[in-house]
Amino acid sequence: SYVLTQPPSMSVAPGKTASIPCGGNSLQTKSVHWYQLKAGQAPVSVMVYGSDRPSGIPERFSGSISDNTATLTISRVEAGDEADYFCQVFDSASEHSVFGGGTKLTVL
Amino acid sequence: EVQLLESGGGFVQPGGSLRLFCAASGFTFSDFAMNWVRLVPGKGLEWVSGISNSGGSTHYADSVKGRFTVSRDNSKNSLFLQMNSLRVDDTAVYYCSKDEGGIAARVFEYWGQGIRVTVSS
C-alpha cells in the first residue's frame, strides 16, 4: 500500500518559517492535501492540490511539490499555528485515501 | 455554514458493535461524497471508509473491511457507520468528513468535531 512519510515533530520560533515535508513515491503525480489538527478541535483543511489555500486560510500558509516531496510552509509562525499537520493523497491503485503519520509542530 | 455532528460513540467490549451517526447541514448533502476518518491514539489519522454522493459506491480501509459498513440517507442528511466485531485497535476518535465532490476519499473539505469510541475489556 502507498506510504506517506512525515517527520514526527518539528519546532520553530515565533516569526520564523516552518517547512513541513511529506514524502512519497512518485508524489509529484498525485494531488497532495494538508490538514491541521489541534487538540479538542475539528481538523481543518489548510492546503489542497499541493498549493491551493482553502478560503479562510492565511496567506502565511503555502504549499509546494518537488519530485517525491510535498512541503507545507508556514511563514511568520504564530503561537496559534502549534498543531499536528497531516498530508494526504488518494491512491488510485487501491482506491484508498492515505495519510502521512503527522508532524507535531511546536512553537517555541 | 457547513456543520457535521457525530454521535453514537462510547465504550464497548471487544467483539461488540456500535453505530455511528453524522448529521449534516449547511450544504446539499446529496451532492457530495462523505467519509469516516479516525484519529488513533499515538498513531495519527486513518481513513476508514467513504461513500459516494448517491450511496452507490462504498470503499473501506483494509483494517475494517468486512466488519464496518458505511451508509447514508440523503432524505435525512445523515451518514452512518455500522461497526461490528470491534477490536481494541479500533479505539479512536471518529470524524465524519465531507468530500469535495461526489466521489469519496479524495479531499476532506470539512470535518466534524469527532466522537470517541473505546473498545476495551
Side-chain angles (χ1 to χ4, degrees):
Chain A
S1 59
Y2 193 78
V3 176
L4 291 172
T5 301
Q6 297 182 242
S9 63
M10 295 181 64
S11 60
V12 62
K16 300 299 185 182
T17 298
S19 296
I20 303 173
C22 169
N25 188 37
S26 300
L27 193 55
Q28 69 275 19
T29 65
K30 302 182 182 298
S31 294
V32 182
H33 316 293
W34 292 88
Y35 305 92
Q36 177 193 67
L37 179 55
K38 295 182 181 180
Q41 297 186 22
V44 173
S45 172
V46 295
M47 195 65 57
V48 294
Y49 298 103
S51 59
D52 292 343
R53 273 181 294 106
S55 175
I57 301 303
E59 292 183 5
R60 301 184 296 105
F61 286 75
S62 62
S64 62
I65 296 180
S66 178
D67 295 327
N68 294 327
T69 301
T71 302
L72 176 69
T73 300
I74 310 172
S75 304
R76 302 180 299 283
V77 167
E78 302 173 356
D81 298 330
E82 188 163 281
D84 293 320
Y85 291 87
F86 294 86
C87 57
Q88 173 254 328
V89 300
F90 174 76
D91 177 33
S92 56
S94 63
E95 291 197 309
H96 289 181
S97 191
V98 177
F99 286 92
T103 298
K104 182 176 182 61
L105 179 68
T106 299
V107 181
L108 301 171
Chain B
E1 179 189 5
V2 172
Q3 292 194 343
L4 302 168
L5 184 61
E6 304 94 339
S7 61
F11 184 95
V12 63
Q13 292 186 332
S17 297
L18 277 176
R19 186 172 173 85
L20 302 185
F21 303 85
C22 174
S25 61
F27 64 100
T28 304
F29 185 72
S30 58
D31 283 350
F32 296 94
M34 298 294 293
N35 301 276
W36 290 98
V37 180
R38 65 187 181 186
L39 180 62
V40 181
K43 294 185 68 176
L45 290 174
E46 179 186 19
W47 171 78
V48 173
S49 180
I51 184 168
S52 64
N53 62 316
S54 68
S57 179
T58 58
H59 301 277
Y60 300 93
D62 293 343
S63 58
V64 307
K65 196 167 188 176
R67 300 187 298 122
F68 290 11
T69 302
V70 63
S71 60
R72 63 191 294 161
D73 185 340
N74 284 348
S75 69
K76 297 182 179 179
N77 292 350
S78 296
L79 176 71
F80 309 97
L81 185 67
Q82 178 66 42
M83 305 187 294
N84 298 331
S85 303
L86 281 161
R87 308 190 299 221
V88 172
D89 60 4
D90 292 318
T91 294
V93 174
Y94 285 73
Y95 297 97
C96 164
S97 177
K98 170 189 176 293
D99 217 299
E100 184 187 61
I103 304 174
R106 297 309 202 261
V107 185
F108 305 105
E109 192 177 29
Y110 292 97
W111 302 63
Q113 291 284 346
I115 191 77
R116 187 172 300 277
V117 171
T118 302
V119 185
S120 175
S121 55

